[in-house]
Amino acid sequence: MHRIAYFISILFFLLSCTSQSTVSTNNRYTDFPQVQELKAKTIQLDTALFRYPFRIHASDNKAVVLDLHGTDHYFHAFSYPEFHYLSSFGKRGDSPEEMLSAENFRWNGRGLWTLDANKSELTELQFALSGDTLLHQEVVKLDKEILRALDFVVYEDSTFIIPDYTGDNRFCQVSSEGKLLRKFGTIPSTNKEALENARPALAQAWRSFIDYNPRKGVLVAATQLGEFLEIYNLKDSTHVVCVGPHGEPEFHIAEGYGIPTGIMGFGDVQVTDNAIYAVFQGKTFKDIMESAKQGNKLPDGGQSIYVFSLKGEPLRKYVLDHYVHGIFVDEQKGIIIATDVNKDEPIIEYSINCM
């Protein structure tokens, strides 16, 4: 009965998607009505683990940090909000329960899902009854039609949404068994030549970090290059494109690949019940290369967090005293937890006034 109900729910979802047309609007912004400077408080950890802490998400009484260049493990679990170390998982290696790479992870109940792009698989883990270690529950091999998944969200507890890097669409919806169900959305580019002749390179340039809020039905994509933020409301089929001063990603094509030439854009994004928070960098590739030639490496990450309403209206800009990559916004506590890969003590906390 459970499987029958599952397939019926998928059928109704697909029928509803084909019967509704997406209504798109463009919002251009040049500035934010409020600008606020924030000063960080360093969170003292009881262990030294990180090489490149890239993402951080918390749920209930636990926080997990993704270490993109971890020596032995990709993930480290802590108590939250105390940040006492619990355990490490996602061991590096090529055996069945090890990982070749780690792109992101998402909470799902009392466990979480991790994404390994090199193995093209999603893995579900759950915390043991002791609460300090994670146990493998399920491995989902992704359909071969899905081109190198680099991010994902869990949709309606039974399917996944993954960016589409073929360039044909914006997203893939994937079943709990890893099968491609459908594609939706289009890249909102004005580059007609790339749309017609170089869609994979265009998709590379438009690589986006994504997040989804199931309570609001809001899916957001923030471009790693340029300054485009897209808001898909999957409940009412509206689509809002927020375009900042730097515009769409700039690139040139070399041997089929999109080579960036403009700016580093957004670095992370989170959709809460009240707003959208996005880390913004704004460094030009010209400045990055010139600094590297002079032996002066620019700080890694962004020094701004942009806040938008769920409908794409610019609300507030936070100016930070650190360069950060990953963020976790806890509106109930009125804080943002962030990762700073440039510091030896990389987990920091900002106090905010919530929307």
Side-chain angles (χ1 to χ4, degrees):
M1 285 296 293
H2 175 74
R3 292 187 67 83
I4 292 173
Y6 165 73
F7 285 117
I8 289 174
S9 67
I10 290 295
L11 176 62
F12 274 108
F13 175 81
L14 293 175
L15 288 173
S16 67
C17 290
T18 55
S19 63
Q20 297 178 11
S21 58
T22 299
V23 178
S24 297
T25 56
N26 276 21
N27 286 349
R28 290 192 173 271
Y29 65 91
T30 57
D31 209 344
F32 290 80
Q34 296 182 38
V35 178
Q36 184 176 350
E37 294 184 0
L38 299 181
K39 293 192 179 297
K41 178 182 79 173
T42 299
I43 294 178
Q44 302 295 329
L45 303 179
D46 51 12
T47 185
L49 294 166
F50 304 117
R51 293 185 65 191
Y52 199 93
F54 185 62
R55 289 289 178 260
I56 181 167
H57 304 303
S59 179
D60 294 329
N61 61 351
K62 293 182 178 65
V64 171
V65 178
L66 161 59
D67 188 354
L68 206 60
H69 301 156
T71 306
D72 300 311
H73 296 87
Y74 285 109
F75 301 99
H76 307 287
F78 298 84
S79 64
Y80 179 78
E82 303 85 5
F83 276 90
H84 298 313
Y85 173 72
L86 298 175
S87 62
S88 298
F89 60 99
K91 186 174 175 60
R92 295 178 66 110
D94 56 7
S95 71
E97 291 195 355
E98 295 176 340
M99 302 182 70
L100 292 176
S101 67
E103 276 59 51
N104 209 340
F105 68 99
R106 302 291 178 180
W107 288 100
N108 188 37
R110 65 185 189 91
L112 49 81
W113 287 91
T114 64
L115 170 62
D116 185 333
N118 288 347
K119 283 190 172 183
S120 192
E121 64 185 28
L122 291 157
T123 301
E124 183 183 21
L125 304 103
Q126 285 195 352
F127 277 93
L129 293 177
S130 61
D132 58 357
T133 57
L134 285 111
L135 307 174
H136 278 71
Q137 299 295 308
E138 182 182 5
V139 175
V140 175
K141 279 287 187 182
L142 296 176
D143 198 313
K144 291 183 179 179
E145 293 183 57
I146 301 166
L147 183 62
R148 191 168 176 79
L150 294 175
D151 205 350
F152 78 107
V153 294
V154 180
Y155 178 73
E156 302 298 339
D157 293 327
S158 58
T159 61
F160 306 99
I161 293 176
I162 294 172
D164 178 22
Y165 288 105
T166 66
D168 295 332
N169 293 93
R170 202 69 173 104
F171 299 102
C172 302
Q173 188 185 358
V174 181
S175 74
S176 58
E177 289 82 21
K179 301 300 181 184
L180 178 62
L181 295 174
R182 71 179 185 112
K183 294 185 177 184
F184 66 96
T186 56
I187 298 174
S189 175
T190 59
N191 189 335
K192 293 183 178 179
E193 182 180 351
L195 283 167
E196 292 176 0
N197 304 310
R199 284 183 177 270
L202 182 69
Q204 292 169 23
W206 277 78
R207 178 192 175 178
S208 298
F209 302 114
I210 67 174
D211 194 35
Y212 174 67
N213 184 313
R215 292 176 296 278
K216 300 296 183 178
V218 172
L219 172 69
V220 173
T223 57
Q224 187 179 22
L225 308 177
E227 195 172 348
F228 258 66
L229 187 138
E230 295 176 78
I231 305 167
Y232 292 79
N233 189 312
L234 302 184
K235 290 185 176 181
D236 63 17
S237 296
T238 56
H239 174 221
V240 179
V241 180
C242 302
V243 186
H246 294 92
E248 65 178 87
E250 297 178 18
F251 67 102
H252 70 264
I253 299 171
E255 298 181 359
Y257 293 95
I259 310 300
T261 58
I263 66 155
M264 289 291 293
F266 293 102
D268 195 12
V269 64
Q270 182 180 338
V271 189
T272 70
D273 288 347
N274 300 301
I276 298 162
Y277 297 76
V279 177
F280 187 73
Q281 300 192 37
K283 305 184 193 78
T284 68
F285 281 93
K286 179 181 178 181
D287 288 344
I288 293 171
M289 288 187 290
E290 286 182 355
S291 294
K293 287 179 182 177
Q294 296 170 7
N296 300 318
K297 185 178 181 296
L298 293 177
D300 207 346
Q303 209 171 7
S304 299
I305 296 177
Y306 292 174
V307 186
F308 300 87
S309 75
L310 298 182
K311 294 184 178 180
E313 302 146 331
L315 299 177
R316 185 177 297 180
K317 174 183 175 181
Y318 291 121
V319 179
L320 312 179
D321 60 347
H322 287 242
Y323 288 83
V324 305
H325 262 294
I327 57 170
F328 169 69
V329 182
D330 189 332
E331 288 183 327
Q332 288 187 335
K333 291 183 171 63
I335 59 174
I336 298 175
I337 306 295
T339 63
D340 181 352
V341 301
N342 308 284
K343 303 292 184 181
D344 293 333
E345 297 176 306
I347 310 300
I348 55 178
E349 176 186 307
Y350 290 103
S351 177
I352 61 170
N353 295 316
C354 295
M355 302 297 103

Short mmCIF file of all heavy atoms in Angstrom, two decimals, residues 272-314:
data_model
loop_
_atom_site.label_atom_id
_atom_site.label_comp_id
_atom_site.label_asym_id
_atom_site.label_seq_id
_atom_site.Cartn_x
_atom_site.Cartn_y
_atom_site.Cartn_z
N THR A 272 14.63 30.78 4.77
CA THR A 272 13.95 30.57 6.03
C THR A 272 12.45 30.79 5.82
O THR A 272 11.99 31.00 4.69
CB THR A 272 14.47 31.55 7.11
OG1 THR A 272 14.03 32.87 6.78
CG2 THR A 272 15.98 31.51 7.19
N ASP A 273 11.67 30.74 6.89
CA ASP A 273 10.24 30.99 6.78
C ASP A 273 9.93 32.45 6.48
O ASP A 273 8.82 32.78 6.05
CB ASP A 273 9.52 30.59 8.07
CG ASP A 273 9.44 29.08 8.24
OD1 ASP A 273 9.72 28.35 7.27
OD2 ASP A 273 9.12 28.63 9.36
N ASN A 274 10.91 33.33 6.70
CA ASN A 274 10.66 34.77 6.58
C ASN A 274 11.43 35.46 5.47
O ASN A 274 11.00 36.51 5.00
CB ASN A 274 11.00 35.47 7.90
CG ASN A 274 10.15 34.95 9.05
OD1 ASN A 274 8.94 35.02 9.01
ND2 ASN A 274 10.80 34.40 10.07
N ALA A 275 12.57 34.91 5.06
CA ALA A 275 13.42 35.64 4.12
C ALA A 275 14.42 34.70 3.44
O ALA A 275 14.52 33.51 3.78
CB ALA A 275 14.17 36.76 4.85
N ILE A 276 15.15 35.27 2.49
CA ILE A 276 16.22 34.57 1.78
C ILE A 276 17.53 35.26 2.13
O ILE A 276 17.66 36.49 1.99
CB ILE A 276 15.99 34.61 0.25
CG1 ILE A 276 14.69 33.89 -0.11
CG2 ILE A 276 17.18 33.99 -0.50
CD1 ILE A 276 14.18 34.24 -1.49
N TYR A 277 18.51 34.48 2.58
CA TYR A 277 19.82 35.00 2.97
C TYR A 277 20.87 34.45 1.99
O TYR A 277 20.95 33.23 1.80
CB TYR A 277 20.18 34.59 4.39
CG TYR A 277 19.27 35.13 5.45
CD1 TYR A 277 18.00 34.59 5.67
CD2 TYR A 277 19.67 36.20 6.27
CE1 TYR A 277 17.16 35.08 6.66
CE2 TYR A 277 18.83 36.70 7.27
CZ TYR A 277 17.58 36.13 7.45
OH TYR A 277 16.74 36.62 8.42
N ALA A 278 21.68 35.32 1.39
CA ALA A 278 22.66 34.87 0.42
C ALA A 278 24.00 35.56 0.64
O ALA A 278 24.07 36.80 0.73
CB ALA A 278 22.17 35.15 -1.01
N VAL A 279 25.06 34.77 0.74
CA VAL A 279 26.42 35.32 0.86
C VAL A 279 26.85 35.84 -0.50
O VAL A 279 26.72 35.14 -1.51
CB VAL A 279 27.40 34.23 1.33
CG1 VAL A 279 28.83 34.78 1.38
CG2 VAL A 279 26.99 33.69 2.70
N PHE A 280 27.37 37.06 -0.54
CA PHE A 280 27.81 37.63 -1.83
C PHE A 280 29.28 38.02 -1.75
O PHE A 280 29.73 38.58 -0.75
CB PHE A 280 26.97 38.85 -2.20
CG PHE A 280 27.26 39.37 -3.58
CD1 PHE A 280 26.83 38.68 -4.70
CD2 PHE A 280 27.99 40.54 -3.75
CE1 PHE A 280 27.12 39.15 -5.98
CE2 PHE A 280 28.27 41.01 -5.03
CZ PHE A 280 27.84 40.32 -6.14
N GLN A 281 30.01 37.71 -2.85
CA GLN A 281 31.45 38.00 -2.88
C GLN A 281 31.76 39.28 -3.65
O GLN A 281 32.20 40.26 -3.08
CB GLN A 281 32.21 36.81 -3.47
CG GLN A 281 32.02 35.53 -2.67
CD GLN A 281 32.98 34.44 -3.09
OE1 GLN A 281 34.14 34.70 -3.41
NE2 GLN A 281 32.51 33.21 -3.07
N GLY A 282 31.58 39.28 -4.97
CA GLY A 282 31.80 40.49 -5.76
C GLY A 282 33.21 40.71 -6.25
O GLY A 282 33.50 41.74 -6.87
N LYS A 283 34.14 39.77 -5.99
CA LYS A 283 35.52 39.93 -6.48
C LYS A 283 35.57 39.65 -7.98
O LYS A 283 34.98 38.68 -8.47
CB LYS A 283 36.47 38.98 -5.77
CG LYS A 283 36.48 39.05 -4.26
CD LYS A 283 37.55 38.12 -3.69
CE LYS A 283 37.40 37.92 -2.20
NZ LYS A 283 36.33 36.98 -1.87
N THR A 284 36.32 40.47 -8.73
CA THR A 284 36.50 40.21 -10.16
C THR A 284 37.61 39.19 -10.37
O THR A 284 38.56 39.13 -9.57
CB THR A 284 36.86 41.50 -10.94
OG1 THR A 284 38.17 41.93 -10.55
CG2 THR A 284 35.85 42.61 -10.65
N PHE A 285 37.48 38.40 -11.42
CA PHE A 285 38.54 37.42 -11.72
C PHE A 285 39.83 38.12 -12.11
O PHE A 285 40.92 37.59 -11.87
CB PHE A 285 38.07 36.47 -12.83
CG PHE A 285 37.15 35.41 -12.32
CD1 PHE A 285 35.78 35.57 -12.35
CD2 PHE A 285 37.66 34.23 -11.78
CE1 PHE A 285 34.93 34.60 -11.86
CE2 PHE A 285 36.81 33.25 -11.28
CZ PHE A 285 35.45 33.44 -11.32
N LYS A 286 39.73 39.32 -12.65
CA LYS A 286 40.92 40.09 -12.99
C LYS A 286 41.70 40.42 -11.72
O LYS A 286 42.93 40.25 -11.65
CB LYS A 286 40.53 41.37 -13.72
CG LYS A 286 41.71 42.24 -14.10
CD LYS A 286 41.25 43.51 -14.80
CE LYS A 286 42.43 44.40 -15.15
NZ LYS A 286 41.99 45.67 -15.81
N ASP A 287 41.00 40.90 -10.69
CA ASP A 287 41.66 41.23 -9.42
C ASP A 287 42.23 39.98 -8.75
O ASP A 287 43.33 40.02 -8.17
CB ASP A 287 40.68 41.92 -8.48
CG ASP A 287 40.34 43.33 -8.91
OD1 ASP A 287 41.09 43.88 -9.75
OD2 ASP A 287 39.32 43.87 -8.43
N ILE A 288 41.48 38.88 -8.82
CA ILE A 288 41.95 37.63 -8.21
C ILE A 288 43.25 37.17 -8.86
O ILE A 288 44.22 36.81 -8.16
CB ILE A 288 40.87 36.53 -8.34
CG1 ILE A 288 39.64 36.89 -7.49
CG2 ILE A 288 41.43 35.17 -7.92
CD1 ILE A 288 38.45 35.99 -7.72
N MET A 289 43.32 37.23 -10.19
CA MET A 289 44.52 36.77 -10.91
C MET A 289 45.69 37.73 -10.70
O MET A 289 46.83 37.29 -10.51
CB MET A 289 44.21 36.62 -12.40
CG MET A 289 43.32 35.42 -12.71
SD MET A 289 43.10 35.12 -14.47
CE MET A 289 42.08 36.50 -14.94
N GLU A 290 45.43 39.02 -10.70
CA GLU A 290 46.51 39.99 -10.49
C GLU A 290 47.09 39.88 -9.09
O GLU A 290 48.31 39.95 -8.90
CB GLU A 290 46.00 41.41 -10.75
CG GLU A 290 45.78 41.72 -12.22
CD GLU A 290 45.32 43.15 -12.45
OE1 GLU A 290 45.07 43.86 -11.44
OE2 GLU A 290 45.20 43.54 -13.62
N SER A 291 46.24 39.66 -8.10
CA SER A 291 46.73 39.50 -6.72
C SER A 291 47.55 38.22 -6.59
O SER A 291 48.58 38.21 -5.91
CB SER A 291 45.54 39.45 -5.75
OG SER A 291 44.87 40.69 -5.72
N ALA A 292 47.10 37.16 -7.28
CA ALA A 292 47.84 35.89 -7.23
C ALA A 292 49.24 36.06 -7.86
O ALA A 292 50.22 35.52 -7.35
CB ALA A 292 47.06 34.81 -7.94
N LYS A 293 49.32 36.81 -8.97
CA LYS A 293 50.61 37.03 -9.63
C LYS A 293 51.57 37.79 -8.72
O LYS A 293 52.78 37.59 -8.76
CB LYS A 293 50.39 37.83 -10.93
CG LYS A 293 49.75 37.01 -12.05
CD LYS A 293 49.55 37.87 -13.29
CE LYS A 293 48.86 37.10 -14.39
NZ LYS A 293 48.58 37.96 -15.58
N GLN A 294 51.02 38.69 -7.90
CA GLN A 294 51.86 39.48 -6.99
C GLN A 294 52.14 38.76 -5.68
O GLN A 294 52.82 39.29 -4.81
CB GLN A 294 51.16 40.82 -6.70
CG GLN A 294 51.01 41.70 -7.93
CD GLN A 294 50.11 42.90 -7.68
OE1 GLN A 294 49.72 43.14 -6.54
NE2 GLN A 294 49.80 43.65 -8.73
N GLY A 295 51.60 37.54 -5.56
CA GLY A 295 51.82 36.75 -4.36
C GLY A 295 50.94 37.15 -3.19
O GLY A 295 51.21 36.77 -2.04
N ASN A 296 49.90 37.94 -3.48
CA ASN A 296 48.96 38.37 -2.44
C ASN A 296 47.61 37.70 -2.66
O ASN A 296 46.80 38.19 -3.46
CB ASN A 296 48.80 39.90 -2.45
CG ASN A 296 50.11 40.61 -2.22
OD1 ASN A 296 50.90 40.20 -1.38
ND2 ASN A 296 50.35 41.67 -2.96
N LYS A 297 47.37 36.60 -1.98
CA LYS A 297 46.11 35.89 -2.15
C LYS A 297 44.98 36.66 -1.46
O LYS A 297 45.08 37.02 -0.29
CB LYS A 297 46.21 34.48 -1.56
CG LYS A 297 45.00 33.61 -1.80
CD LYS A 297 45.22 32.23 -1.22
CE LYS A 297 44.02 31.33 -1.47
NZ LYS A 297 42.80 31.81 -0.79
N LEU A 298 43.92 36.93 -2.21
CA LEU A 298 42.77 37.62 -1.63
C LEU A 298 42.04 36.69 -0.66
O LEU A 298 42.04 35.47 -0.84
CB LEU A 298 41.81 38.08 -2.73
CG LEU A 298 42.31 39.16 -3.68
CD1 LEU A 298 41.27 39.45 -4.76
CD2 LEU A 298 42.64 40.44 -2.91
N PRO A 299 41.40 37.25 0.38
CA PRO A 299 40.64 36.40 1.30
C PRO A 299 39.58 35.61 0.55
O PRO A 299 38.97 36.10 -0.41
CB PRO A 299 40.01 37.41 2.27
CG PRO A 299 40.86 38.62 2.19
CD PRO A 299 41.37 38.67 0.78
N ASP A 300 39.35 34.39 0.97
CA ASP A 300 38.40 33.49 0.33
C ASP A 300 37.02 33.66 0.96
O ASP A 300 36.88 33.62 2.18
CB ASP A 300 38.88 32.04 0.52
CG ASP A 300 38.39 31.14 -0.59
OD1 ASP A 300 37.49 31.57 -1.33
OD2 ASP A 300 38.91 30.02 -0.70
N GLY A 301 36.00 33.88 0.13
CA GLY A 301 34.65 34.02 0.64
C GLY A 301 34.07 35.40 0.38
O GLY A 301 34.66 36.24 -0.31
N GLY A 302 32.89 35.64 0.95
CA GLY A 302 32.20 36.91 0.76
C GLY A 302 32.08 37.67 2.07
O GLY A 302 31.99 37.08 3.14
N GLN A 303 32.04 39.01 1.96
CA GLN A 303 31.97 39.86 3.14
C GLN A 303 30.59 40.53 3.29
O GLN A 303 30.42 41.44 4.09
CB GLN A 303 33.07 40.92 3.09
CG GLN A 303 33.54 41.38 4.45
CD GLN A 303 34.77 42.26 4.39
OE1 GLN A 303 35.22 42.65 3.32
NE2 GLN A 303 35.35 42.58 5.54
N SER A 304 29.62 40.03 2.50
CA SER A 304 28.27 40.57 2.57
C SER A 304 27.25 39.44 2.61
O SER A 304 27.46 38.38 2.00
CB SER A 304 27.96 41.46 1.36
OG SER A 304 28.84 42.55 1.29
N ILE A 305 26.15 39.65 3.32
CA ILE A 305 25.00 38.77 3.26
C ILE A 305 23.82 39.61 2.81
O ILE A 305 23.45 40.59 3.48
CB ILE A 305 24.70 38.10 4.62
CG1 ILE A 305 25.87 37.18 5.02
CG2 ILE A 305 23.40 37.31 4.55
CD1 ILE A 305 25.69 36.54 6.38
N TYR A 306 23.24 39.25 1.66
CA TYR A 306 22.07 39.95 1.14
C TYR A 306 20.81 39.26 1.65
O TYR A 306 20.73 38.03 1.65
CB TYR A 306 22.06 39.93 -0.38
CG TYR A 306 23.16 40.74 -1.05
CD1 TYR A 306 23.34 40.70 -2.43
CD2 TYR A 306 24.02 41.57 -0.32
CE1 TYR A 306 24.33 41.43 -3.06
CE2 TYR A 306 25.01 42.30 -0.93
CZ TYR A 306 25.16 42.24 -2.31
OH TYR A 306 26.15 42.97 -2.93
N VAL A 307 19.82 40.06 2.05
CA VAL A 307 18.56 39.52 2.54
C VAL A 307 17.43 39.99 1.64
O VAL A 307 17.27 41.20 1.41
CB VAL A 307 18.30 39.94 4.00
CG1 VAL A 307 17.06 39.24 4.55
CG2 VAL A 307 19.51 39.64 4.89
N PHE A 308 16.65 39.03 1.11
CA PHE A 308 15.51 39.31 0.26
C PHE A 308 14.24 38.74 0.90
O PHE A 308 14.30 37.76 1.66
CB PHE A 308 15.68 38.67 -1.12
CG PHE A 308 16.90 39.12 -1.88
CD1 PHE A 308 18.13 38.50 -1.70
CD2 PHE A 308 16.82 40.15 -2.80
CE1 PHE A 308 19.26 38.90 -2.41
CE2 PHE A 308 17.93 40.57 -3.52
CZ PHE A 308 19.15 39.94 -3.32
N SER A 309 13.10 39.31 0.55
CA SER A 309 11.85 38.69 0.95
C SER A 309 11.63 37.44 0.11
O SER A 309 12.34 37.21 -0.89
CB SER A 309 10.68 39.66 0.73
OG SER A 309 10.36 39.77 -0.66
N LEU A 310 10.67 36.61 0.48
CA LEU A 310 10.38 35.39 -0.28
C LEU A 310 9.83 35.70 -1.67
O LEU A 310 9.74 34.81 -2.51
CB LEU A 310 9.41 34.50 0.50
CG LEU A 310 9.90 34.00 1.86
CD1 LEU A 310 8.87 33.09 2.51
CD2 LEU A 310 11.24 33.29 1.74
N LYS A 311 9.48 36.96 -1.91
CA LYS A 311 9.01 37.38 -3.23
C LYS A 311 10.09 38.14 -4.00
O LYS A 311 9.83 38.68 -5.08
CB LYS A 311 7.76 38.25 -3.09
CG LYS A 311 6.56 37.48 -2.54
CD LYS A 311 5.31 38.36 -2.51
CE LYS A 311 4.11 37.57 -2.00
NZ LYS A 311 2.88 38.41 -1.96
N GLY A 312 11.29 38.21 -3.44
CA GLY A 312 12.41 38.79 -4.16
C GLY A 312 12.65 40.27 -3.93
O GLY A 312 13.46 40.89 -4.63
N GLU A 313 12.01 40.86 -2.93
CA GLU A 313 12.25 42.26 -2.65
C GLU A 313 13.51 42.41 -1.79
O GLU A 313 13.66 41.72 -0.79
CB GLU A 313 11.06 42.85 -1.89
CG GLU A 313 9.75 42.73 -2.63
CD GLU A 313 8.57 42.51 -1.70
OE1 GLU A 313 8.75 41.91 -0.61
OE2 GLU A 313 7.46 42.90 -2.09
N PRO A 314 14.45 43.30 -2.16
CA PRO A 314 15.65 43.50 -1.34
C PRO A 314 15.29 44.13 -0.01
O PRO A 314 14.60 45.16 0.04
CB PRO A 314 16.52 44.43 -2.20
CG PRO A 314 15.56 45.10 -3.14
CD PRO A 314 14.44 44.14 -3.37
#
